[in-house]
Amino acid sequence: MGHVALDQAVLLNWYDHHQRDLPWRKSCHPWHILLSEILLQQTQVSRGIEYWHRMIEAFPTIESMAVAEVDHVLKAWEGAGYYSRARRLHTLAQQVMLPLSEGGHNGVLPQTAEDLLKLPGIGPYTAAAVASIAFSQPIACVDGNIRRVMARQSAQPAPTVNQTQQWADDCLEPLRPGDWNQALMELGATVCKPRQPSCEVCPIHESCSGKSTPHSYPLPNKTKTKSVTYRCEVRLDETGQPVLYQRPPSGLFGGLWGFELFESFDDPSDHMLGYVGQVKHTLSHRKMTINVWIGRAEGSVQGHHPKELALSGLDHKILELLHSKDCFVSP
Ligand code: SF4
């Protein structure tokens, strides 16, 4: 692919002076770097910082996570969203702690992207990011920020994954691969932003073929958001505590506790349930509307203390609605 080469020294120099002060950038602990990458996959940087500190405090080493109960991990992750990441991280920690003879890594995180990729929850981006940042392996990573910078710098309206990877491989500065990958991502996050790129202060302005019409690159992805309506049936025990259910490990809010949800427009068939109100919740590809109903649990069924269990953001909203309508006997 013909493109104008980036001035690597200028971009690295810009990164050295303008990078955001992010706590994991001061750490050379591979586990801490891995945690930051997993958190940042689907969490904004500002919240990522908060959760990173929380996770590091609760699980300072791979071993400490491996020996923890998965519920403990989910509780620490509560609020960060996309809980399957936390479950996979827990499995990853356990797998790394296994002896080599059992397919593990004797408690030491593998150093190459190839080996990292074999661990649960690690995709090509995370493998390359961790290998380059934590272990200085000369491998280029590609994420949405880098794809946007690539599309603009080489004036490509719809670069494929392979084209973007090729571009990133060609650009890679092998002596400082971790800083180089982070510099490109930082440029995308803070200068070559999706809506308002700051071309006038951009360190790669000179080599950029798309700077006169940055908004033409890349063309937006057409992802469809599905609207789904649910019925939520909340049941209270004799003491006024709600009965909660642990969701299956895979699927929506995997492994977290929450209220009973049915994908349905219909009102409940149980006429003992009263309507409480509606909650809306948006996930990446799903707009959820939840009609909440409340009634009594059968017989001696015991409720739970919601504060003691890991709930999803959606279930917290349902809980807030119930509190706002004074649905609980006890606070
Ligand atoms: S010059 Fe503008 S469009 Fe080009 S890389 Fe820099 S910020 Fe992005």
Side-chain angles (χ1 to χ4, degrees):
M1 187 182 7
H3 57 76
V4 186
L6 285 181
D7 189 331
Q8 293 168 317
V10 172
L11 181 57
L12 276 174
N13 185 46
W14 168 84
Y15 178 68
D16 289 341
H17 293 95
H18 294 91
Q19 63 176 283
R20 289 167 294 178
D21 181 19
L22 303 177
W24 45 84
R25 288 187 175 156
K26 296 190 194 87
S27 172
C28 49
H29 197 312
W31 169 242
H32 296 179
I33 292 168
L34 173 69
L35 266 174
S36 73
E37 289 297 338
I38 303 269
L39 268 167
L40 292 180
Q41 282 168 8
Q42 276 133 336
T43 304
Q44 286 174 349
V45 171
S46 53
R47 297 190 67 214
I49 294 175
E50 180 194 333
Y51 281 95
W52 183 80
H53 283 298
R54 196 201 274 196
M55 294 303 288
I56 296 293
E57 203 167 303
F59 310 105
T61 58
I62 297 192
E63 188 179 8
S64 59
M65 180 170 288
V67 298
E69 294 290 330
V70 67
D71 278 342
H72 183 193
V73 178
L74 288 168
K75 188 69 191 160
W77 197 269
E78 188 179 294
Y82 298 93
Y83 297 88
S84 52
R85 290 180 296 168
R87 302 182 68 82
R88 285 198 290 255
L89 197 58
H90 183 241
T91 315
L92 177 153
Q94 291 183 327
Q95 202 167 310
V96 170
M97 290 311 296
L98 287 176
L100 286 174
S101 56
E102 290 176 35
H105 298 274
N106 283 346
V108 182
L109 207 58
Q111 302 204 355
T112 65
E114 200 186 348
D115 287 339
L116 285 162
L117 202 48
K118 293 181 192 145
L119 296 171
I122 306 277
Y125 163 76
T126 310
V130 173
S132 63
I133 300 168
F135 302 113
S136 295
Q137 300 275 328
I139 180 164
C141 58
V142 162
D143 74 342
N145 281 320
I146 293 186
R147 181 174 180 266
R148 183 171 59 259
V149 172
M150 176 272 180
R152 289 174 176 170
Q153 197 266 345
S154 52
Q156 288 254 345
T160 63
V161 174
N162 286 344
Q163 287 169 328
T164 314
Q165 185 69 55
Q166 186 64 53
W167 178 89
D169 291 345
D170 291 348
C171 296
L172 182 71
E173 153 61 282
L175 296 177
R176 293 177 62 190
D179 285 342
W180 175 259
N181 285 328
Q182 292 185 91
L184 272 181
M185 290 189 271
E186 190 79 350
L187 186 74
T190 64
V191 176
C192 195
K193 293 169 288 186
R195 292 207 185 88
Q196 289 182 317
S198 311
C199 299
E200 65 289 355
V201 297
C202 176
I204 64 166
H205 183 272
E206 215 163 287
S207 69
C208 179
S209 307
K211 63 190 172 223
S212 55
T213 53
H215 292 290
S216 314
Y217 314 104
L219 295 173
N221 271 340
K222 289 187 195 92
T223 45
K224 279 194 195 136
T225 306
K226 207 170 129 192
S227 294
V228 194
T229 304
Y230 293 85
R231 184 177 74 239
C232 170
E233 297 185 4
V234 178
R235 297 181 190 266
L236 305 180
D237 71 7
E238 286 179 338
T239 68
Q241 289 297 343
V243 180
L244 296 166
Y245 301 86
Q246 190 169 25
R247 304 201 197 283
S250 57
L252 200 59
F253 309 129
L256 293 183
W257 292 75
F259 299 101
E260 224 176 351
L261 285 181
F262 303 92
E263 201 176 315
S264 169
F265 284 102
D266 301 336
D267 291 345
S269 51
D270 179 346
H271 298 294
M272 297 305 284
L273 289 164
Y275 185 66
V276 182
Q278 206 171 62
V279 166
K280 294 202 185 277
H281 193 69
T282 306
L283 300 173
S284 58
H285 296 303
R286 195 186 301 227
K287 276 193 176 147
M288 305 172 72
T289 303
I290 301 99
N291 290 308
V292 182
W293 298 75
I294 195 165
R296 285 241 154 268
E298 273 178 37
S300 59
V301 175
Q302 297 250 310
H304 304 87
H305 291 279
K307 278 195 184 137
E308 290 167 10
L309 298 168
L311 304 185
S312 70
L314 165 67
D315 290 289
H316 276 294
K317 282 187 192 167
I318 296 173
L319 206 54
E320 271 170 36
L321 171 75
L322 295 164
H323 277 302
S324 72
K325 303 269 170 144
D326 285 332
C327 291
F328 296 131
V329 174
S330 57

